[in-house]
Amino acid sequence: MTGRRIEIRGIVQGVGFRPFVTRLARHMGVRGRVWNDRRGVTIEAFGSSPVLETFLARLRGEAPPATRIAELHSATIATEPVEGFEIRASREAGAKALSIPPDLATCPDCEAEIFDPSHRRHGYAFTNCTACGPRFTIATDVPYDRKSTTMAHFEMCDDCLREFEAFEDRRFHAQPNACPACGPKLALVTLDGEPIGGEDPIAEAARLLQCGAIIAVKGLGGFHLVCDATDAVSVRALRDRKRRDQKPFAVMVRDLAAAGAIGELGRDEEVLLSGVERPIVLVNRREDIPLAPEVAPQTPLIGLFLPYTPIHHLLLEAVGIPLVMTSANVSDEPICADNDEASHRLVGIADALLLHDRKIAMRCDDSVARVIAGIPTILRRSRGFVPSPIHLKHPVARPILACGAHLKNTFCIAVDDTAYFGPHIGDLESVEALDFFEEAVERMQRILSLRPDVVAHDLHHGYLSTQYALGRKDVTSVGIQHHHAHVVSAMADNGVEGPVLGIAFDGTGAGDDGTSWGGEFLLCSAESCERLATFRPLSLPGGDTAIREVWRTAYALLHDAFDAEPPIAATPLFRDVPETSLRVLSQMIEGKLNAPRVHGVGRYFDAFGAIALDRPIASYEAQVAMAFEAAADPEVLDAYAYTIDTRKAPIEVDLRAAARAAFRDIQAGSSAGKISARFHNAIVRLTIEVVELLLDQVGSVPVVLTGGVFQNDRITRGIAQQLGGSIELLRHQNVPPGDGGIALGQAVVANALLADHE
Ligand code: ZN
Ligand code: ZN
Ligand code: FE
């Protein structure tokens, strides 16, 4: 007889793991106990050696479907004379926080039940079990049990209660357990609340969608606006009503086969699409896809996702066509989550509401992921991932709230050796968004049962997240440089402590010298950041206006490259711009009037892209840059010239020669594909060159890629392929490379700076 302590990390809470362990142990005659702790699940098991070996193997092999075992440690312990096997209550303080799992997509068993005409849950839109269903979005408090969820006022019927209490049942302690007799109900109503159609809201909603209607459908973390993705008229109407010009819409499809008809799916894409988190996955679209072109105009990527609630499964099955599913809001406001709110805010946008009487306790937008140069990368960490913890290699001394950046805001709270991200807040540009931010922070603090007295924020004083941090009473606030936070976020994502050579390429971010950075080569550790190289700054005439009106940035690039004499007449891009406007632009650049100089590489992508594609306007951030990436001709292997000025400190990369060459290519009638390839190849080549130069100086340290530019597959792939084999390259996976991932770095840096201080 012997004993084992088995520590398991990963997604093992709220997925029916402890009941599974107990059933297995009792079945095999293993004695002992299991409990949840802060990191995951711990088991103490006693029995004969061979039985324990089999027990271990079966733990891995037969775990419930939503389980993800990231790590399993097993150590021998002295045997104890215990009888039977039991689930023990967790007593650890932090364990409470973890007791709320993320929302889980409908499992195959529940899916089978809702399509089984003989089952009592046939067609039931709120079917769930211990392996699936709503969690974070219905939790109102800790610990996570039914009375602390928005299911509290639904009283379970006898049948449901029996399942809930039966140890052998799939619904043993499934907190949101429900059935048609006792649970939430669907309704299809007009914006005035008048019921539409007959008995079956799903069938009626499907019929309306087939007729071209736009319906707001209540999901897990908020409402979606839904319409027929194959019908150009409906999609165009949705764009008009939502005031969303060209930004692509996500499309929900029935299954992997339907997804494969639209996008090119590799194994990694399939795994992402069908994972329990069910993110929107950006994939390369096929030619001649069965969708209206208006769904994702002028973009090679399309966002696809699979159903993740029974409502989605039933609706997709009934309607039989792919559906546009986009967050129900106007422009960049937070997603609608409340029935009353939806009926007010969606007037003039939705034709009908498919809603229900289970409240959403916390708004949570869909997550987004993409396989970038072979690595599945989370681009927006939200529904399905929140509040799953991220393990920190180095524990923080005091709990820290990190407020994130401005665009694509997400905050995080670090405590001990874990960091918890809040939901995706979006661009912090409106009062509504700030309200949502504050509400989400309050809630995360409540479920973690703590109130951090250290608050980390960006250096940019104009950011609402910074103002929030500075406005918080009785806290130590710590300003963190934007790109330092980017690099350390990637380090923490990889469990690396540094020093590293961080390459932070993005659009904008406040530097510590008052200028805007974004083309940075930084020698970083958690507590320090030294700027070793950067890009020659580019003027942004009109400031942020130039992010949309990319022809301005293109003009500034040519102005710089041609010594203040940009070849206006010869550049097609400027054909519709009045001469006077261009003269004003020159004055702004030369007089440094409302023309901030920025180091952001992203702005170079805008400028070259605008010239090559002849696209003066980006209707949303990075639209032109993404189209530019997609245009690149893979056959073209040469690169534009550039210079690296090593006499400067920091070293400066200069793209003026590249700009002149691109202009000559336009003159010569070269294709956009050729220009794009030569530009991308130049960025890859110069990055490698600078890295090799700097590693010679600082010694061999890992290289980190971070910042929004590394959502660019071509650049990332090129660098990964060409970097010498002896150099360790670290990239984002669990935390977005863009500004949505910055909060993690802020928390880790703030902790290190305070430790230095004390
Ligand atoms: Zn289930
Ligand atoms: Zn029931
Ligand atoms: Fe950034």
Side-chain angles (χ1 to χ4, degrees):
M1 286 310 215
T2 180
R4 291 281 168 79
R5 177 176 294 119
I6 305 158
E7 291 175 348
I8 304 173
R9 292 185 198 150
I11 302 175
V12 285
Q13 297 190 353
V15 291
F17 192 71
R18 285 173 305 162
F20 153 73
V21 172
T22 310
R23 272 195 296 272
L24 181 64
R26 288 181 184 173
H27 176 75
M28 296 181 62
V30 170
R31 294 167 295 105
R33 52 190 82 103
V34 57
W35 67 92
N36 278 347
D37 56 28
R38 219 156 32 73
R39 300 252 196 102
V41 164
T42 300
I43 303 166
E44 285 175 353
F46 307 104
S48 73
S49 269
V51 168
L52 289 182
E53 282 310 313
T54 317
F55 178 64
L56 264 175
R58 290 182 68 180
L59 276 181
R60 278 185 184 278
E62 298 170 24
T67 313
R68 294 277 169 76
I69 297 181
E71 289 175 43
L72 188 152
H73 299 287
S74 160
T76 305
I77 52 171
T79 187
E80 284 177 32
V82 290
E83 291 301 320
F85 196 95
E86 56 163 25
I87 297 180
R88 234 192 215 179
S90 46
R91 277 161 295 177
E92 221 181 333
K96 265 203 306 191
L98 268 183
S99 75
I100 302 181
D103 301 290
L104 303 166
T106 306
C107 74
D109 290 337
C110 288
E111 189 189 338
E113 284 175 4
I114 62 175
F115 289 116
D116 174 1
S118 68
H119 199 278
R120 75 185 186 98
R121 288 191 173 86
H122 179 233
Y124 186 54
F126 303 91
T127 303
N128 67 82
C129 70
T130 45
C132 76
R135 300 284 189 272
F136 176 70
T137 54
I138 58 164
T140 52
D141 210 340
V142 282
Y144 174 70
D145 57 25
R146 189 163 176 114
K147 60 180 193 306
S148 310
T149 70
T150 58
M151 285 298 291
H153 65 282
F154 295 98
E155 202 175 321
M156 270 189 262
C157 68
D158 289 347
D159 287 340
C160 286
L161 198 59
R162 236 190 320 274
E163 295 164 337
F164 188 83
E165 288 174 344
F167 193 74
E168 294 299 317
D169 200 277
R170 213 173 87 235
R171 297 193 164 91
F172 175 67
H173 283 192
Q175 304 300 338
N177 189 26
C179 80
C182 66
K185 288 181 174 45
L186 275 181
L188 184 69
V189 298
T190 65
L191 276 282
D192 299 325
E194 295 297 320
I196 304 174
E199 289 289 276
D200 188 348
I202 293 276
E204 184 62 16
R207 198 186 62 78
L208 290 178
L209 287 168
Q210 285 161 345
C211 295
I214 295 169
I215 300 186
V217 178
K218 192 173 184 178
L220 276 182
F223 279 83
H224 283 116
L225 288 167
V226 179
C227 77
D228 177 354
T230 65
D231 177 31
V233 178
S234 308
V235 180
R236 225 175 293 139
L238 180 57
R239 289 208 174 275
D240 287 347
R241 296 190 202 172
K242 202 176 136 91
R243 279 186 263 137
R244 177 145 146 166
D245 189 17
Q246 293 187 13
K247 202 168 173 183
F249 286 135
V251 173
M252 187 178 275
V253 291
R254 185 76 192 88
D255 49 28
L256 280 180
I262 298 172
E264 289 168 9
L265 310 185
R267 180 77 195 121
D268 287 334
E269 279 87 359
E270 289 185 356
V271 168
L272 279 176
L273 277 166
S274 48
V276 287
E277 301 90 355
R278 286 289 200 282
I280 294 169
V281 183
L282 303 182
V283 299
N284 291 322
R285 70 200 289 169
R286 296 186 180 283
E287 309 247 331
D288 303 321
I289 52 173
L291 296 183
E294 287 81 355
V295 170
Q298 305 184 49
T299 154
L301 293 177
I302 192 151
L304 299 177
F305 57 154
L306 300 185
Y308 56 84
T309 71
I311 301 179
H312 300 148
H313 282 287
L314 294 166
L315 191 61
L316 265 291
E317 179 69 15
V319 78
I321 37 176
L323 295 174
V324 164
M325 285 244 180
T326 181
S327 299
N329 55 8
V330 183
S331 307
D332 294 321
E333 285 173 13
I335 187 170
C336 259
D338 181 79
N339 290 357
D340 288 341
E341 185 192 10
S343 57
H344 289 118
R345 274 174 56 193
L346 300 179
V347 171
I349 299 178
D351 298 310
L353 307 174
L354 182 60
L355 43 74
H356 56 73
D357 50 355
R358 185 181 73 203
K359 269 205 161 111
I360 294 171
M362 191 67 213
R363 277 185 280 220
C364 204
D365 251 299
D366 292 317
S367 297
V368 180
R370 181 185 179 191
V371 180
I372 300 172
I375 294 188
T377 311
I378 296 177
L379 301 182
R380 183 204 280 173
R381 191 181 165 88
S382 199
R383 194 254 321 137
F385 294 99
V386 175
S388 293
I390 288 170
H391 179 66
L392 298 175
K393 183 111 185 210
H394 189 75
V396 294
R398 287 144 68 181
I400 298 172
L401 165 66
C403 295
H406 180 59
L407 299 176
K408 305 179 177 72
N409 178 279
T410 326
F411 64 87
C412 95
I413 294 177
V415 48
D416 297 334
D417 59 357
T418 30
Y420 302 89
F421 267 85
H424 164 79
I425 305 291
D427 298 349
L428 268 183
E429 305 214 286
S430 64
V431 180
E432 290 81 5
L434 183 62
D435 286 348
F436 177 27
F437 174 87
E438 293 184 3
E439 174 194 334
V441 168
E442 284 302 320
R443 187 183 141 89
M444 285 300 281
Q445 290 178 161
R446 192 166 71 241
I447 66 174
L448 291 163
S449 310
L450 55 86
R451 206 176 162 76
D453 58 4
V454 179
V455 179
H457 59 84
D458 200 273
L459 290 182
H460 197 301
H461 279 256
Y463 289 2
L464 289 181
S465 55
T466 305
Q467 289 167 14
Y468 168 85
L470 295 175
R472 238 174 106 143
K473 300 255 173 347
D474 307 321
V475 298
T476 308
S477 55
V478 191
I480 315 285
Q481 200 274 318
H482 188 92
H483 303 95
H484 187 195
H486 265 305
V487 174
V488 175
S489 162
M491 287 162 57
D493 197 349
N494 286 279
V496 163
E497 298 203 41
V500 302
L501 178 60
I503 305 176
F505 287 177
D506 64 2
T508 34
D512 57 19
D513 58 357
T515 69
S516 181
W517 293 9
E520 312 310 321
F521 297 79
L522 306 165
L523 183 63
C524 282
S525 62
E527 63 280 353
S528 71
C529 171
E530 191 187 344
R531 193 186 194 202
L532 300 181
T534 186
F535 277 64
R536 178 181 168 85
L538 189 60
S539 295
L540 279 194
D544 284 351
T545 311
I547 293 173
R548 212 180 75 83
E549 297 184 15
V550 286
W551 64 269
R552 291 167 177 265
T553 319
Y555 184 83
L557 175 70
L558 295 178
H559 185 279
D560 193 24
F562 288 92
D563 297 325
E565 303 279 345
I568 301 163
T571 313
L573 184 68
F574 305 126
R575 81 177 84 71
D576 293 329
V577 186
E579 222 170 306
T580 47
S581 302
L582 294 174
R583 257 204 307 279
V584 170
L585 234 55
S586 285
Q587 286 164 5
M588 289 166 80
I589 295 166
E590 288 154 25
K592 300 193 170 68
L593 304 164
N594 191 22
R597 311 241 294 156
V598 303
H599 299 268
V601 180
R603 300 284 88 88
Y604 278 104
F605 280 79
D606 284 351
F608 279 88
I611 294 167
L613 302 170
D614 195 13
R615 292 260 291 269
I617 304 290
S619 99
Y620 52 93
E621 212 211 347
Q623 183 191 23
V624 168
M626 285 193 288
F628 190 42
E629 175 196 353
D633 181 345
E635 309 286 308
V636 176
L637 300 177
D638 59 328
Y640 287 138
Y642 50 82
T643 52
I644 296 172
D645 189 343
T646 51
R647 289 159 311 175
K648 284 196 169 163
I651 289 169
E652 193 173 89
V653 177
D654 184 340
L655 288 174
R656 283 178 298 175
R660 288 189 291 270
F663 172 76
R664 280 194 302 273
D665 272 349
I666 296 273
Q667 296 292 285
S670 292
S671 69
K674 201 174 225 174
I675 300 173
S676 171
R678 286 176 171 163
F679 172 79
H680 280 83
N681 296 345
I683 297 289
V684 170
R685 222 173 261 187
L686 73 85
T687 302
I688 302 283
E689 206 173 311
V690 174
V691 164
E692 284 169 352
L693 211 76
L694 294 178
L695 289 183
D696 270 351
Q697 289 176 21
V698 302
S700 142
V701 293
V703 172
V704 161
L705 304 184
T706 185
V709 167
F710 292 108
Q711 298 183 32
N712 182 313
D713 180 80
R714 171 166 290 270
I715 296 292
T716 311
R717 188 179 298 275
I719 293 172
Q721 281 170 353
Q722 291 182 37
L723 210 57
S726 60
I727 300 169
E728 188 187 358
L729 184 68
L730 305 173
R731 291 166 47 194
H732 285 271
Q733 298 186 55
N734 303 301
V735 172
D739 285 5
I742 253 184
L744 180 63
Q746 288 177 338
V748 174
V749 175
N751 180 65
L753 292 179
L754 287 177
D756 257 15
H757 214 69
E758 283 155 9

